[in-house]
């Protein structure tokens, strides 16, 4: 399910004007046709199921455009207005919602008594643009409540000021600045009031059902660190409730703080981790963010009971910089597009990972396909928690305890030379993910893998290696060198020489060169993860390199013991860590290994 927030920028039909009766504030017949064509094309490109629009003046024309584009359900809750002295000039826009799915109900966003009593809310207060609150009936999901909002702009009131010729310029300057000062605060107050009224309405919905999924699509006309956004999301940390510090709260209270918060989808999307936030607006040469999609906690991946979660975040902003076409003929905003993925397995994915029963795969000779390998390995490992949710106790139970409950504390860390028991004693230990977590999250979300599979990939113990903390941080999520390149150690690799092997570091392409003593371990982990989680990213020559490494550097005693330890606890195994003859059969199974070869 994909959702979009789309500021259309003065959607006014040919023959009408916006704000002023001037040639620049209207479209010729050809320009109007061009603008509609661009909007239709963009809707087709984004392929969203639900779209929230802002700056809508010509409502019937947008409804027809959406119907033609494949959106049979269209609503608005307010009416655009023209000037009393000129019926051809629109002075007030509205928001609208278009959906491929039926709209079950529409709810007015009214004024809450507590806001009216405690804030300077005029008796005749109105939203600058009345927001939409609609229940959308989504197939195979249920009711999703969608808000569409366009908060008051930052533009100060009373900009159109005139002075008599007799007024001195010094006074004109002073008066203008004072008026602008008052106007900016008036706009901030209006925007802030709209934000908190929207938040109060959302909380009342969540008080009825804390697990209800809610999405807010909007042009908020403010930055992500602004007061109105803070009032709408309520992500700031809460230290006291009713005068009581957190230590005095009853058990189980903290989760409720997340229940009544909204999360910014940019912060949740796997493909946006460690990325600069894409701009949605360029003002005087500087990119900024005004457009957002926010979600309630039941759509937050940090919530173990989430119904769906953000799988992808994208901003369609290329037209703002590169095409040279006037913004009025397209839009002066980028469109924010978010994909939500149900936490339950989709039928398509379930079919892809369907396996023969494990008991039918009794020997590696029976492994003919990737699915056979997965069955023999114990299935696709799944987990309720993501690795990010593990504390030190969980990491001890699920990994470190092996090295101390057995006699393998002398094993050296990956890429390094320091024994694990020494690292642990000095608190310099770290768990290295052979395939980085960020890559797994992004890749599996893109393939529509269900949540428990993605969590399992992040916690699969066959993707772990004991590491020195600083060395792990240096490797970060850089790719491995699989081409036999030489090491070009960067100047910032300033670890103590006793903690790492001189045969590791970066090559000229900034890929991580693996020490020969660890190449078999890495190869077996990579081959296992690629097969189990359908990761088709390696060229044939790279697969051949991994096979060669695994053959030359056979499993050590501790690796064999670790494989048995994991199998006894979780029922999964890495078939590449097995008896020499079994592992060799798999490494020579060309049909099996061809299934992970990259194909365009």
């Amino acid at each position: 399910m994909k959702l979009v927030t789309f500021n259309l920028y003065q959607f006014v039909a040919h023959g009408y004007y916006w704000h002023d009766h001037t040639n620049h504030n209207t479209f010729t017949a050809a320009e109007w046709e061009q603008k509609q064509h661009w909007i239709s094309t963009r809707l087709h490109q984004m392929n969203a199921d639900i779209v929230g629009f802002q700056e809508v003046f010509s409502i019937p024309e947008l409804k027809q455009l959406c119907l033609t584009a494949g959106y049979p359900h269209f609503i608005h809750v307010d009416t655009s207005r023209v000037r009393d002295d000129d019926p051809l000039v629109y002075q007030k826009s509205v928001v609208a919602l278009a959906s491929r799915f039926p709209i079950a109900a529409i709810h007015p966003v009214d004024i809450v008594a507590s806001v009216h009593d405690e804030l300077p809310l005029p008796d005749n207060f109105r939203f600058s643009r009345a927001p939409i609150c609609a229940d959308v009936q989504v197939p195979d999901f249920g009711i999703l409540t969608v808000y569409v909002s366009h908060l008051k702009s930052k533009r100060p009131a009373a900009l159109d000021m005139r002075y008599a010729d007799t007024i001195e310029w010094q006074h004109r300057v002073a008066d203008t600045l004072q008026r602008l000062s008052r106007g900016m605060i008036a706009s901030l107050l209006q925007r802030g009031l709209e934000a908190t009224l929207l938040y109060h309405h959302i909380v009342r919905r969540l008080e009825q059902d804390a697990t209800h999924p809610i999405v807010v699509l909007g042009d908020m006309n403010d930055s992500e660190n602004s007061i109105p956004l803070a009032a709408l999301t309520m992500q700031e940390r809460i230290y006291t409730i009713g005068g009581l510090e957190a230590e005095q709260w009853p058990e189980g209270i903290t989760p409720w703080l997340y229940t009544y918060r909204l999360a910014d989808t940019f912060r949740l999307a796997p493909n946006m981790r460690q990325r600069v936030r894409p701009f949605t607006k360029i003002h005087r040469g500087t990119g900024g963010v005004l457009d957002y999609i926010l979600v309630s906690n039941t759509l937050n991946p940090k919530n173990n009971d989430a119904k769906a979660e953000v799988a992808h975040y994208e901003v369609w902003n290329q037209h703002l910089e590169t095409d040279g076409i006037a913004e009025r003929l397209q839009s002066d905003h980028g469109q924010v597009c978010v994909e939500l993925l149900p936490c339950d397995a989709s039928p398509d994915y379930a079919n892809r990972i369907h396996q023969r029963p494990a008991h039918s795969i009794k020997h590696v000779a029976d492994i003919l396909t990737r699915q056979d390998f997965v069955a023999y390995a114990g299935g696709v490992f799944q987990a309720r928690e993501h690795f990010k949710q593990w504390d030190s106790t969980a990491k001890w139970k699920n990994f470190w305890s092996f090295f101390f409950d057995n006699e393998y504390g002398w094993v050296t860390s990956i890429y390094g030379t320091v024994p694990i028991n020494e690292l642990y004693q000095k608190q310099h230990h770290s768990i290295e993910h052979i395939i980085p977590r960020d890559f797994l999250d992004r890749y599996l979300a893109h393939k529509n893998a269900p949540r428990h599979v993605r969590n399992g990939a992040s916690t699969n113990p066959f993707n772990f290696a004991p590491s020195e903390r600083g060395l792990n941080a240096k490797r970060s999520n850089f790719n491995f060198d699989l081409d036999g390149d030489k090491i070009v150690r960067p100047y910032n690799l300033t670890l103590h020489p006793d903690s790492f092997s001189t045969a590791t570091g970066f090559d000229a392409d900034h890929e991580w060169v693996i020490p020969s003593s660890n190449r078999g371990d890495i190869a077996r982990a990579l081959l296992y993860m690629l097969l189990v989680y359908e990761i088709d990213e390696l060229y044939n020559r790279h697969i051949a390199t991994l096979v060669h490494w695994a053959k030359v550097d056979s499993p050590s005693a501790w690796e064999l013991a670790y494989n048995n330890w994991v199998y006894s606890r979780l029922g999964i195994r890495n078939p590449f860590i097995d008896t020499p003859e079994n592992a060799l059969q798999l490494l020579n199974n060309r049909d099996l290994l061809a299934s992970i070869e990259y194909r365009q």
Side-chain angles (χ1 to χ4, degrees), residues 224-279:
E224 57 184 317
N225 298 318
S226 64
I227 291 176
L229 260 293
L232 180 55
T233 61
M234 290 309 298
Q235 284 289 334
E236 295 293 326
R237 184 175 179 180
I238 303 299
Y239 293 94
T240 63
I241 297 178
L244 298 178
E245 301 286 340
E247 296 78 13
Q248 299 172 284
W249 299 348
E251 185 176 352
I253 294 301
T254 301
W256 286 103
L257 290 173
Y258 298 99
T259 297
Y260 298 119
R261 285 174 167 153
L262 297 178
D264 185 346
T265 51
F266 167 76
R267 304 291 177 189
L268 303 179
N271 67 309
M272 287 291 113
R273 288 177 189 156
Q274 299 178 339
R275 294 276 303 276
V276 175
R277 183 165 197 151
F279 61 84

Side-chain angles (χ1 to χ4, degrees), residues 326-581:
E327 290 178 344
R328 63 195 295 275
L329 300 179
Q330 299 178 338
S331 173
D332 62 341
H333 285 245
Q335 294 75 53
V336 180
C337 180
V338 163
E339 183 174 5
L340 297 180
L341 181 68
C343 291
D344 294 333
S346 65
D348 289 343
Y349 189 88
N351 290 335
R352 291 205 310 272
I353 66 171
H354 178 70
Q355 307 151 5
R356 288 166 59 183
H359 58 77
S360 67
I361 310 296
K362 298 180 180 180
H363 193 272
V364 292
D366 298 325
I367 297 177
L368 303 177
T369 65
R370 182 183 223 154
Q371 288 72 26
D372 293 341
F373 178 89
V374 173
Y376 185 77
V380 178
F381 183 62
Q382 304 182 35
R384 179 175 174 81
E385 289 185 323
H386 191 278
F387 184 82
K388 291 184 297 183
Q389 297 172 287
W390 277 9
D391 56 17
S392 58
T393 302
K395 292 174 182 177
W396 170 266
K397 175 184 176 182
N398 294 293
F399 184 65
W400 294 113
S401 62
F402 163 78
F403 298 98
F404 298 92
D405 291 344
N406 295 282
E407 298 178 357
Y408 296 102
W410 50 266
V411 174
T412 58
S413 61
I414 198 76
Y415 325 127
T417 59
V418 180
I420 294 173
N421 53 8
E422 183 179 336
L423 285 177
Y424 201 88
Q425 182 181 10
K426 295 179 178 179
Q427 296 296 296
H428 289 171
H429 59 293
S430 178
I431 296 178
E432 157 78 317
H433 281 73
I434 306 302
I435 298 182
R437 285 181 291 125
D438 285 348
F439 172 85
L440 290 169
D441 286 341
R442 291 193 303 270
Y443 190 86
L444 294 176
H446 179 70
K447 297 192 74 169
N448 289 336
R451 183 185 193 190
H452 287 182
V453 169
R454 283 175 282 146
N455 286 347
S458 78
T459 57
N460 193 311
F462 291 125
N463 193 40
F464 294 167
S467 178
E468 194 275 335
R469 182 181 300 167
L471 196 58
N472 193 7
K474 289 298 181 184
R475 186 253 162 163
S476 184
N477 57 1
F478 291 101
N479 292 333
F480 291 126
D481 166 58
L482 299 178
D483 296 309
D485 293 337
K486 294 182 179 180
I487 297 169
V488 181
R489 194 179 308 283
Y491 72 92
N492 62 346
L493 191 60
T494 55
L495 299 172
H496 192 282
D498 290 340
S499 66
F500 64 92
S501 170
T502 56
T504 191
F506 293 108
D507 64 10
D509 298 322
H510 222 56
E511 294 177 327
W512 190 255
V513 179
I514 308 166
S516 57
S517 60
N518 297 136
R519 288 177 181 172
D521 309 43
I522 297 294
R524 283 180 283 277
L526 286 174
L527 291 171
Y528 165 83
M529 292 293 291
L530 295 174
L531 283 164
V532 169
Y533 293 102
E534 295 186 329
I535 302 173
D536 310 319
E537 289 291 306
L538 294 183
Y539 292 105
N540 185 54
R541 71 179 190 275
H542 296 149
I543 297 172
T545 296
L546 294 177
V547 170
H548 174 70
W549 286 355
K551 288 180 177 180
V552 171
D553 177 20
S554 58
S556 61
W558 82 263
E559 201 176 350
L560 292 168
Y562 181 68
N563 188 41
N564 292 330
W565 181 73
V566 173
Y567 182 72
S568 67
R569 295 177 68 255
L570 302 175
I572 61 173
R573 61 200 293 180
N574 183 345
F576 292 106
I577 309 173
D578 211 328
T579 61
E581 58 274 17

Side-chain angles (χ1 to χ4, degrees), residues 261-300:
R261 285 174 167 153
L262 297 178
D264 185 346
T265 51
F266 167 76
R267 304 291 177 189
L268 303 179
N271 67 309
M272 287 291 113
R273 288 177 189 156
Q274 299 178 339
R275 294 276 303 276
V276 175
R277 183 165 197 151
F279 61 84
T280 70
K281 174 80 172 178
I282 297 178
H283 179 65
R284 296 180 179 176
T286 302
V289 180
L290 298 180
D291 306 84
Y292 303 83
I293 297 182
L294 311 174
V295 294
S296 60
N297 194 47
T298 199
L299 303 175
N300 189 332

Side-chain angles (χ1 to χ4, degrees), residues 300-319:
N300 189 332
K302 296 178 182 179
N303 175 9
N304 285 336
D305 298 317
K307 294 180 179 179
E309 57 185 355
V310 178
H312 192 78
Y313 177 100
E314 185 174 9
V315 177
W316 293 72
N317 58 9
Q318 303 88 342
H319 65 285

